[in-house]
C-alpha cells in the first residue's frame, strides 16, 4: 500500500489506514501535501511514544493521548463554524487544530497507532469519539472536547471500533451536507460519487445512489 494511492484504490483494501483514506478523500476535492501531513502524524506518534511510560497500561495511554493531542497541541472542535468543509479535511484539521469530531478522531487514532496504542474511532448517535479498547469497559475520550474522558450513555453494543470504510462514509456524509448547504453542488456530487466506491450493504448503496441522482439533477 502506498500513501499516494487514490481513494478508489484504497477503498478496495479490507483495512486501509484510516488517515490515508481520509487524506485520499480530501485529495479528491482539493490539492494537498499528503507527505507533509503523514509526516506530522509521524511526529505526533513519536511524541506520544515518548510520553507513555512502559507498562503504564490503558489508563496511562489514554491520558497520554489526551494530554498530548488535546492539551499540548490544543486539538479541539470548531464550535464557531462547525460544518465548514475545512473541518473534514485532515491536513487542515492538523494545521488549524480545529475540526469535526470524526476528523479529530482520525488524528487521535493515527497518532496512537504509531505509538502502539489500541485506540479506535467510535461512531455514536450524533457524535464521534475514540476509545482505548485495551481496557474493559473501553476508556472513551472526546477529541472534540480536547480529549476529555467521557462516560458513554449509549448501549455497550454501540461502543465498538469503527472500520476505516465506515469512518470515510460518515466523513463523506458530513461533506455532502456541508457542500449542499453552501450551494457547492459540484463538490457535493464528487463526495457523493466517492461513497459509491466504498463497500456498502445493498440497501445503503441504493440509498446513496439515489441521493447522487438527486444531486446531479440539481445541476440540470
Amino acid at each position: 500500500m502506498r500513501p499516494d494511492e487514490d481513494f478508489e484504490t484504497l477503498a478496495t483494501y479490507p483495512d486501509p489506514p484510516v488517515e490515508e483514506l481520509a487524506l485520499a478523500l480530501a485529495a479528491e476535492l482539493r490539492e494537498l501535501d499528503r507527505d507533509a501531513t503523514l509526516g506530522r502524524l509521524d511526529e505526533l506518534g513519536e511524541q506520544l511514544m515518548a510520553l507513555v511510560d512502559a507498562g503504564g497500561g490503558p489508563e496511562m495511554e489514554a491520558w497520554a493521548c489526551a494530554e498530548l493531542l488535546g492539551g499540548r497541541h490544543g486539538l479541539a472542535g470548531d464550535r464557531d463554524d462547525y460544518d465548514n468543509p475545512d473541518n473534514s479535511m485532515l491536513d487542515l484539521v492538523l494545521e488549524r487544530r480545529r475540526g469535526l469530531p470524526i476528523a479529530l478522531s482520525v488524528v487521535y487514532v493515527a497518532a496512537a497507532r504509531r505509538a502502539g496504542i489500541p485506540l479506535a474511532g467510535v461512531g455514536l448517535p450524533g457524535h464521534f469519539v475514540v476509545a482505548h479498547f485495551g481496557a474493559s469497559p473501553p476508556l472513551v475520550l472526546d477529541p472534540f472536547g480536547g480529549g476529555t474522558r467521557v462516560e458513554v450513555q449509549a448501549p455497550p453494543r454501540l461502543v465498538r471500533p469503527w472500520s476505516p470504510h465506515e469512518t470515510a462514509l460518515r466523513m463523506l456524509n458530513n461533506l455532502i451536507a456541508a457542500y449542499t448547504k453552501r450551494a457547492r453542488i459540484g463538490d457535493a456530487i464528487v463526495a457523493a460519487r466517492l461513497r459509491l466506491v466504498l463497500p456498502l450493504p445493498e440497501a445503503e448503496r441504493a440509498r446513496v445512489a439515489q441521493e447522487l441522482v438527486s444531486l446531479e439533477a440539481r445541476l440540470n
Side-chain angles (χ1 to χ4, degrees):
M1 185 184 308
R2 302 191 316 273
D4 60 342
E5 288 177 318
D6 63 20
F7 184 83
E8 186 170 359
T9 301
L10 284 170
T12 65
Y13 292 111
D15 189 30
V18 67
E19 70 277 15
E20 292 185 15
L21 199 59
L23 281 172
L25 183 163
E28 297 285 347
L29 291 153
R30 40 178 287 279
E31 291 189 7
L32 55 85
D33 188 336
R34 291 196 206 184
D35 289 341
T37 303
L38 292 172
R40 291 192 190 99
L41 292 172
D42 290 342
E43 291 172 7
L44 291 175
E46 291 172 5
Q47 293 171 23
L48 189 53
M49 196 179 304
L51 191 59
V52 176
D53 289 335
E59 286 280 352
M60 165 62 77
E61 292 175 343
W63 169 84
C65 290
E67 169 65 17
L68 178 73
L69 301 172
R72 299 185 187 181
H73 286 282
L75 285 160
D78 186 346
R79 300 179 185 277
D80 297 326
D81 196 14
Y82 183 84
D83 66 350
N84 188 320
D86 288 352
N87 288 329
S88 293
M89 302 293 170
L90 187 59
D91 61 316
L92 297 180
V93 169
L94 274 169
E95 179 182 318
R96 298 167 57 243
R97 303 185 185 188
R98 292 292 180 270
L100 286 182
I102 192 167
L104 292 164
S105 295
V106 171
V107 175
Y108 273 65
V109 170
R113 190 180 67 252
R114 285 161 169 76
I117 298 173
L119 212 68
V122 178
L124 299 174
H127 199 34
F128 205 95
V129 295
V130 296
H132 191 306
F133 285 91
S136 183
L139 303 175
V140 180
L141 304 175
D142 179 13
F144 192 83
T148 54
R149 282 274 294 275
V150 292
E151 295 294 329
V152 176
Q153 303 302 318
R157 63 181 173 77
L158 295 182
V159 185
R160 61 168 182 83
W162 269 40
S163 74
H165 297 123
E166 289 176 298
T167 302
L169 178 62
R170 188 147 162 176
M171 293 181 81
L172 287 167
N173 289 342
N174 290 337
L175 279 169
I176 292 166
Y179 286 138
T180 302
K181 176 181 176 181
R182 289 162 174 78
R184 293 172 58 179
I185 303 304
D187 289 329
I189 287 171
V190 172
R193 287 173 178 164
L194 292 177
R195 291 193 302 190
L196 288 170
V197 307
L198 292 167
L200 301 174
E202 284 308 310
E204 181 78 352
R205 181 172 297 280
R207 183 185 68 79
V208 300
Q210 184 55 51
E211 288 183 3
L212 173 59
V213 171
S214 297
L215 283 168
E216 290 173 333
R218 294 179 62 170
L219 288 182
N220 297 331

